[in-house]
Amino acid sequence: MSNTQKSLLVQGYEVVIGFETHTQLATQSKIFSRAPTAFGAEPNTQACAVDLALPGTLPVMNQGAVELAIRLGLALGSHIAEQSVFARKNYFYPDLPKGYQISQFEIPVVQGGEVSFFLGDEKKTVRLVRAHLEEDAGKSLHEDFIGQSGIDLNRAGTPLLEIVTEPDMRSSAEAVAYAKELHKIVTWIGICDGNMQEGSFRCDANVSVRKPGAPLGTRREIKNLNSFKFMQQAIDYEIRWQIEEIEDGRAIQQATVLFDPDTGETRAMRTKEDAADYRYFPDPDLPPLVIARDWVERVRASMPELPRAMAERLVRDYGLPEYDATTLTQSPAMAAYFETAAKLLGDPSGQAKLVSNWIMGEVSRRLNADEGDMASVPVSAAQLASLIGRIADGTISNNAAKQVFDALWTGEGADVDALIEAKGLKQMNDTGALEKIIDEVMAANADNVAQFRAGKEKAFNALVGQVMKASKGKANPQQVNDVLRQKLQ
């Protein structure tokens, strides 16, 4: 377990990180009202009387939000509480019209569980404390008002599942890897769209440092991290800042801080409250949330194969390295693309590695360049399988295949065989013609021939290159190697 694992020390200090992640649940309406949750509407057009906290209105639990919480709990091996309780978390913000937030405190709906992931080759596991349902607050608007602030209550009442970890992480890299894995899981099981720019998945990192073996240090909470890049920068800055403060003889004050991407620094926003400051008490307007076991089992039956389980199956069934299997299960779309292509090739264990190489190589490279995702790949899995099949049967070389792939990607053509024919990319199968080219190359490169025969292997590669050039890339590289070595003996 991470608590006992060997920690990397920073200037002699051990780093301790815990996460709180606000995951916006993918419901059409809010958690306690029927107001819609769609992003981007004009301010205050998606808030009803319940969200505005008008007198006499009462909250009604959204069953869909509860079901999505159950899905997360099942995905992470958590306990789904048969009965949980909603509480009022009291604090005053202008964008919180009730003066309290409906949340869960002592008895959350999802209890325990864990998230496992790889950091390099090392498997890490972060324990979860809980995941509780709660409503989001509204938003204060400052930019469009001079000397005043506006309030947009469109987000007020948006359903959130706050996922809280134990302080198990020991570096910013580990924290980011955890966040990426959690992001993958919540999008994979369909409980959250994962859009970090729109605030659907945002993290608070609790960071502290201590000397090895010492009690936990005072933590500072970096709020609302909505980019993996900023997450790492913010945590690294906070670690350095805390160590410098301690080394200079100053004590760390518990606080909530914000990260400024422009300066790369964190700055204190307010003194961090403890739970007692929020004066939690059970919400009298909401009865305890009761979840029947048969409901849990129905949700379990509807769950997809989870990414970690699918990765293990890809290793087992297709003989893929664990790294490939983990990469291919970044999203359901990528995993499905791989499996479709591999199955179309007919011999999964034979060509699966080639399919994996193409997806992690050419497909991913072009998607990154185009800032696209797997849903927008213009080359279908069937086309990729056909292309790989032509490499495997010796029709084209790997380099020629890249030319065909480029034509498929840009829409120049759709049929692999037709493109190979049109571009004249078929490999040379005429042994006599190949031998003639090799003879000509050997005659024109007598120095390289002599060097190879004197024991210089590099000279052989130079000759292979000349043969490939003379054949305009159509010669089979393996056949070139074989014939050339025979002639050089």
Side-chain angles (χ1 to χ4, degrees):
M1 185 54 65
S2 296
N3 275 349
T4 59
Q5 69 192 13
K6 184 179 179 182
S7 294
L8 294 172
L9 299 183
V10 180
Q11 296 177 240
Y13 287 84
E14 183 184 44
V15 175
V16 179
I17 303 170
F19 256 53
E20 298 173 10
T21 303
H22 288 90
T23 304
Q24 180 176 327
L25 297 175
T27 58
Q28 297 298 310
S29 58
K30 294 184 178 177
I31 188 168
F32 299 121
S33 80
R34 292 184 177 180
T37 57
F39 179 83
E42 288 294 314
N44 298 311
T45 58
Q46 297 193 155
C48 68
V50 175
D51 307 319
L52 297 173
L54 295 184
T57 57
L58 291 172
V60 177
M61 185 70 224
N62 183 335
Q63 183 177 347
V66 179
E67 183 156 321
L68 297 181
I70 295 172
R71 288 176 77 82
L72 180 81
L74 293 174
L76 302 182
S78 311
H79 171 66
I80 311 298
E82 294 184 10
Q83 180 170 307
S84 60
V85 176
F86 286 99
R88 291 185 178 181
K89 182 180 181 182
N90 295 276
Y91 61 97
F92 175 77
Y93 279 163
D95 53 17
L96 189 65
K98 291 193 292 286
Y100 60 86
Q101 177 189 27
I102 301 178
S103 182
Q104 295 190 306
F105 182 50
E106 291 182 318
I107 311 176
V109 62
V110 176
Q111 302 169 2
E114 63 184 32
V115 175
S116 294
F117 52 92
F118 281 89
L119 184 62
D121 295 331
E122 188 178 0
K123 185 177 182 180
K124 301 279 187 178
T125 299
V126 171
R127 298 167 297 161
L128 300 182
V129 178
R130 55 195 279 154
H132 59 262
L133 286 162
E134 65 181 22
E135 60 179 347
D136 206 351
K139 184 179 180 182
S140 295
L141 306 173
H142 307 292
E143 294 180 354
D144 298 332
F145 303 91
I146 300 173
Q148 298 179 349
S149 292
I151 300 295
D152 177 9
L153 293 175
N154 279 355
R155 287 194 68 88
T158 296
L160 301 177
L161 193 60
E162 182 173 341
I163 305 162
V164 183
T165 77
E166 296 282 1
D168 282 349
M169 290 158 273
R170 295 293 178 267
S171 70
S172 61
E174 187 176 350
V176 171
Y178 158 79
K180 286 183 175 178
E181 183 68 19
L182 183 61
H183 183 270
K184 179 170 73 176
I185 291 170
V186 299
T187 52
W188 187 286
I189 62 177
I191 70 167
C192 174
D193 65 17
N195 192 320
M196 299 179 77
Q197 293 297 320
E198 296 178 0
S200 298
F201 185 90
R202 55 189 197 267
C203 300
D204 304 338
N206 285 288
V207 180
S208 64
V209 299
R210 65 178 174 183
K211 289 290 185 181
L216 287 173
T218 302
R219 72 183 192 276
R220 303 215 313 168
E221 182 181 41
I222 313 172
K223 293 288 288 184
N224 293 331
L225 296 166
N226 63 352
S227 147
F228 296 124
K229 176 184 175 184
F230 294 158
M231 200 175 288
Q232 182 137 17
Q233 289 177 351
I235 294 171
D236 284 339
Y237 177 85
E238 185 64 24
I239 292 168
R240 291 195 302 271
W241 184 86
Q242 291 190 21
I243 291 174
E244 288 175 5
E245 288 290 294
I246 294 171
E247 289 292 299
D248 289 344
R250 291 187 285 271
I252 303 298
Q253 301 295 320
Q254 185 170 311
T256 297
V257 305
L258 292 177
F259 176 67
D260 184 342
D262 293 331
T263 64
E265 299 178 350
T266 58
R267 58 179 172 81
M269 183 171 68
R270 62 176 184 268
T271 302
K272 173 65 178 174
E273 297 88 350
D274 286 317
D277 298 318
Y278 291 118
R279 295 170 290 116
Y280 283 97
F281 64 87
D283 192 312
D285 291 336
L286 284 163
L289 173 62
V290 177
I291 299 175
R293 287 298 97 184
D294 61 343
W295 186 13
V296 175
E297 293 311 311
R298 287 198 301 274
V299 175
R300 191 192 306 277
S302 70
M303 294 283 286
E305 182 180 26
L306 296 173
R308 178 52 42 198
M310 177 176 277
E312 292 172 359
R313 182 172 61 77
L314 296 185
V315 171
R316 184 176 64 249
D317 293 355
Y318 294 92
L320 292 180
E322 195 160 34
Y323 176 81
D324 291 41
T326 301
T327 302
L328 293 171
T329 50
Q330 286 179 18
S331 70
M334 181 175 280
Y337 189 89
F338 165 77
E339 283 221 271
T340 301
K343 287 178 179 175
L344 284 171
L345 282 163
D347 178 11
S349 63
Q351 304 301 332
K353 180 59 178 149
L354 262 182
V355 177
S356 172
N357 289 347
W358 272 85
I359 294 174
M360 294 193 301
E362 286 299 305
V363 173
S364 295
R365 183 178 66 79
R366 290 168 186 268
L367 282 178
N368 289 336
D370 296 347
E371 297 185 350
D373 56 32
M374 286 303 297
S376 62
V377 172
V379 179
S380 70
Q383 289 171 319
L384 181 65
S386 177
L387 183 62
I388 291 173
R390 290 294 172 258
I391 302 171
D393 67 14
T395 302
I396 55 174
S397 67
N398 206 49
N399 284 335
K402 289 181 180 178
Q403 295 181 49
V404 177
F405 186 80
D406 184 64
L408 293 168
W409 191 277
T410 58
E412 183 181 336
D415 184 85
V416 169
D417 289 332
L419 283 167
I420 292 171
E421 196 67 37
K423 290 178 175 292
L425 295 173
K426 278 188 177 178
Q427 288 193 122
M428 183 183 293
N429 292 317
D430 185 340
T431 305
L434 177 60
E435 289 187 348
K436 183 172 181 293
I437 291 174
I438 290 176
D439 289 341
E440 291 172 354
V441 167
M442 288 175 64
N445 296 273
D447 287 348
N448 284 332
V449 171
Q451 288 174 18
F452 174 74
R453 285 173 172 161
K456 292 186 177 179
E457 187 65 22
K458 283 185 179 178
F460 181 79
N461 296 333
L463 289 168
V464 170
Q466 290 296 324
V467 174
M468 293 303 295
K469 183 179 178 182
S471 71
K472 297 180 180 177
K474 294 181 181 178
N476 183 315
Q478 186 57 52
Q479 193 177 12
V480 171
N481 273 272
D482 294 343
V483 175
L484 184 58
R485 283 192 184 278
Q486 287 174 7
K487 287 182 175 290
L488 286 169
Q489 288 177 351

